[in-house]
Amino acid sequence: MFFHIVLERNMQLHPRHFGPHLRDKLVSKLIKDVEGTCSGRHGFVVAITGVEDIGKGLIREGTGYVTFPVKYQCVVFRPFKGEILEAVVTMVNKMGFFAEAGPVQIFVSNHLIPDDMEFQSGDVPNYTTSDGSVKIQKESEVRLKIIGTRVDATEIFCIGTIKDDFLGVISDPGAAV
Amino acid sequence: MASIEPFNRLVRLAARAFYDDISMKGDNQPKTSRGDNRGMAVVVLDALTRRQWVREEDLAKALKLHSKQLRRILRFFEEEKLVTRDHRKESAKGAKAHNVAAAAVASDGPPVTKEGEEKIKMHTHSYCCLDYAQICDVVRYRIHRMKKKLKDELDSRNTIQHYICPSCNKRYSAFDALQLVSYTDEYFHCETCNGELVAESDKLASEEMGDGDDNVRKRRREKLKDMQQRIEEQLKPLVAQLERVKNLPAPEFGSLQTWERANIGAFAHGDPSVADSSRNSQGQYGTPMPYMGETKVEVEMLGDGVKEEGTESGKNGSELKVLPPWMIKDGMNLTKEQRGETSKASKLDEKSEAKDDKKQDSKDDQIIQEEYIKAYYEALRKKQEEEEAKRRMQQEGETIVSDSQSERQVGKKYKREDEDEGNATEQYKLADLNAEAQESGDDEDDYVWEEGSVE
Ligand SMILES: [Zn+2]
């Protein structure tokens, strides 16, 4: 799920940036530092949409670096248990398949793949129905439901299922070409 | 108007299926066998199927329950979304108003108690009523959840897969999948000994017995399957009833206030039949039905009537019993029109009228048309006579034409003739020819009919 939230961060800036463009420098550094990172609490920071407030800088003794407390608005992506996501398959093996929804990695184990889909090994390992009408392979797009998330300080990993109504392949690369 | 009986059956079935062993015990009540009031919930639900909005004190009295006990049960059902409740402060007068409404509705219900309401003090009274529409949804959802839960467990759906290393017995979960992937083959490999991991089946088994003993797993599975089967079996009547009720409009009593207003209104006429008709005219809203028996009959009669009109069969004997013969005449004409036999004629009639509008001055045309219409009605009358004869054969002995009725018809005819004279324009006459031609035919019919009935 996406959220638009306000976060705070202490930014350290090298003294060489102190000048008329200090603020711009601070913002561009913030974007570079923060976008794409993941915090277990808030999820992945997708984009910074604005800077709300830059506090008074504090000079660090000895180094000359200055620490600014910065309040910024950003869009975060945090997957939840029970959420439905659309994801792209990245790897298929006998144990199930991996998929990505933006920055989130999701594993769907073979017992959460519908029973009528069988694993086929080969150059392009895949799960296929007996009549061959539905195929999950690398690059397939699937709709899945998250049944578990593991949130570390810097990483979120999800377990998904496609064994439920309206889940499964939404487009497969073979058919699209 | 919705028939309430299928819904009541649904409630009774659901009560027995789900609330059979609900025990309503106070927290401080000793849990002895004497205090065991299991089954009370079913009794209360059953009682509610025979009532509409009812004051909870009255219900308690009728069920010989302590009002606190009843309130506990009702609160439970309110949470279960089966019962709607309403509370309000009212004087004795207000309470009486409810009694009036209740009396208009209930008669197989409990005798409405009126004692102790002479105080003018305001009291908070609670009322309750079944919420049929919601009950259908709740029961359906409950069954769905029961089945889904078992099915999910059987399919081990929504469970996190665990893996175990056969050589060093290390356990992993699907969350470790990323680290376990091997790029050389299709399997997961142990992080410590690189052994091929095997999936550990059935979360339930491992939950119950730690690491899965095959027998336990099997037994658990069988238990689940058995449970599933029993659900299918035992809930069959309930599911069937749900299916039956699915497309019927659920009885709707409205809020306590609207219900009271509706029923007091009906009662004010003092005549139950008037009350009925007023309720009918209220359509959907006035659903409150008195006691179930009568309602059912009413609905069935309505259904029959519709059927008769629809099936185009002339054998509406039951209708003939009820209606006076002159009504039957009209009714017959009506049905014929509905069958499309006379519709052509009436259209033609209109057309000729329209023509007349344009050429009112030319009398010749009109005379021709008059002739034409006369001829037409003559033919029509013959046809009707034939129909009549057929019908009479079927209805013989059932129809009795009283003199007063035939008189009334004559009166009717005269009246029309009066009208005719009053507005003696050609156009009207034309339009009236219709009536005249028909009625002359009817007259004949009547005479024959009377004789027939005398025979
Ligand atoms: Zn191992």
Side-chain angles (χ1 to χ4, degrees), chain A residues 13 16 38 44 51 62 72 80 90 121 124 128 139 161 165 172:
Chain A
L13 208 61
R16 70 166 177 269
C38 170
F44 295 91
V51 174
Y72 59 98
F80 287 96
T90 54
S121 56
V124 188
T128 315
E139 305 295 318
T161 177
D165 296 340
D172 72 288

Side-chain angles (χ1 to χ4, degrees), chain A residues 94 98 111 121 150 159 163, chain B residues 157 161 174 176 186-187:
Chain A
K94 203 170 168 57
F98 291 87
H111 82 296
S121 56
R150 189 170 71 180
I159 306 292
K163 204 180 195 175
Chain B
R157 216 187 270 191
Q161 180 72 56
D176 306 313
E186 326 264 39
Y187 294 92

